[in-house]
Amino acid sequence: MTKSFKEYEHEGWNSKASQYERLILPLTRQGFEPILTSFSDLTGKKLLDVCTGPGHLAGEAASRGALVDAIDFSEAMVREAKLRFKDISFMEADAEVLPYDDLSFDAVTCCFGLLHLPNSAQGVREAYRVLKPCGRYSVTLWCGPERGGELFKVILQTVSSVGDMNVDLPKAPPMFELSEPGKIEALMSDAGFDDIQRKPIASAWRTRRAEDIVEFIKYGTVRTSLIIQFQKPEVRELIMEELVKAFRPYERGAELEVPCQSILATGAKPH
């Protein structure tokens, strides 16, 4: 039986959890400050971090005085989080079926997690359900290639120029759709949120050399790494060679930086 999108995501992030902090956190961490500053003083506030990964945003929120719960569907990610942040309640759970009562939290966060849900609208509705009146929901989303997502543009153009993108994988939600103008706002409005705002985040992938893109894709992506994995061996090897060539022009001495724009979207639950 063919695996579902959700099953591939679960399996993929379980296998990559131990490498997340080293390879992916430097990029996703750039969403932490915009998310946390979207709230007023967090001291004593109950906050839920959804799709927490190895727990770093949850840890940062706790350091600012929040009373934090955090969930992820990957048991391996939850194990990593519990090892790092022992005073936070981490739980393996589904973002589309949150295991909390209505009106439980003052704040809900999701840092680059919505794109990994089969039904992002249901994830937004669940965040609304568990929020108290006047509570706020803040998420970050990657921008597509045509809106400043240069990192993803180079990766996708290179892979598609060498390999076959139509491999035997289940249909996935469009990766960048929610960051398109009006898209996340519509989901949040439909769920019941008001005071919905969007703000750009000038994020970038920073590393040392072009060769690092190989590890980044292997341990930092699920869908893209699977597309490459499903190619013939000689094509896989050629894709990786071409990716290194494509990122070589971004090297500046011992540093490499590629723009990877993102957005913050935030909304409040009415009184």
Side-chain angles (χ1 to χ4, degrees):
M1 181 183 293
T2 303
K3 296 176 188 174
S4 67
F5 167 76
K6 191 171 190 175
E7 288 170 328
Y8 271 118
E9 286 282 316
H10 180 259
E11 183 180 276
W13 290 116
N14 265 340
S15 70
K16 301 168 195 290
S18 64
Q19 300 297 322
Y20 187 100
E21 183 174 76
R22 180 171 69 91
L23 294 170
I24 311 308
L25 181 63
L27 180 58
T28 57
R29 182 186 288 279
Q30 295 170 57
F32 289 7
E33 192 64 21
I35 285 176
L36 294 174
T37 55
S38 70
F39 304 104
S40 57
D41 183 12
L42 284 171
T43 304
K45 300 290 180 65
K46 292 192 67 177
L47 181 145
L48 173 64
D49 185 33
V50 178
C51 304
T52 194
H56 293 85
L57 175 57
E60 182 61 31
S63 75
R64 300 185 186 200
L67 307 174
V68 181
D69 285 73
I71 66 107
D72 200 279
F73 77 155
S74 162
E75 57 269 28
M77 288 290 191
V78 171
R79 282 197 301 271
E80 294 285 333
K82 287 180 175 179
L83 288 172
R84 289 168 172 77
F85 306 100
K86 300 187 182 300
D87 297 328
I88 295 174
S89 176
F90 291 101
M91 184 188 307
E92 181 188 341
D94 189 336
E96 295 177 9
V97 192
L98 293 174
Y100 302 100
D101 293 336
D102 297 357
L103 314 178
S104 294
F105 296 94
D106 302 294
V108 177
T109 60
C110 186
C111 188
F112 301 114
L114 276 181
L115 74 158
H116 300 295
L117 305 188
N119 187 343
S120 54
Q122 177 61 20
V124 174
R125 288 192 292 268
E126 277 292 273
Y128 185 88
R129 179 183 67 79
V130 302
L131 272 172
K132 299 175 184 178
C134 301
R136 182 164 288 277
Y137 178 48
S138 294
V139 305
T140 49
L141 300 162
W142 298 119
C143 294
E146 70 287 352
R147 297 188 183 278
E150 193 165 342
L151 171 65
F152 300 114
K153 178 180 180 179
V154 176
I155 291 172
L156 294 173
Q157 284 186 345
T158 304
V159 174
S160 63
S161 70
V162 179
D164 179 7
M165 301 295 279
N166 297 313
V167 295
D168 188 20
L169 286 171
K171 186 177 180 180
M175 183 175 177
F176 308 110
E177 182 178 51
L178 292 180
S179 64
E180 290 294 305
K183 293 291 187 178
I184 185 61
E185 291 91 341
L187 285 193
M188 294 174 79
S189 179
D190 289 347
F193 289 101
D194 63 13
D195 187 28
I196 300 168
Q197 303 170 38
R198 164 193 291 253
K199 297 179 180 178
I201 303 172
S203 42
W205 181 56
R206 299 179 180 91
T207 187
R208 293 181 177 274
R209 57 192 190 129
E211 285 79 3
D212 294 340
I213 192 61
V214 175
E215 271 197 316
F216 178 85
I217 289 176
K218 183 177 180 180
Y219 295 111
T221 70
V222 172
R223 187 78 178 185
T224 303
S225 63
L226 281 170
I227 289 171
I228 296 172
Q229 181 183 316
F230 276 42
Q231 308 293 321
K232 294 178 180 179
E234 62 272 20
V235 176
R236 290 201 298 267
E237 184 175 346
L238 181 58
I239 287 173
M240 291 307 182
E241 290 175 359
E242 292 301 314
L243 280 166
V244 172
K245 290 179 185 177
F247 282 96
R248 189 73 73 196
Y250 293 93
E251 291 181 339
R252 296 291 183 272
E255 297 180 352
L256 180 151
E257 180 174 318
V258 186
C260 187
Q261 301 283 15
S262 55
I263 65 157
L264 168 78
T266 181
K269 187 170 186 174
H271 294 277

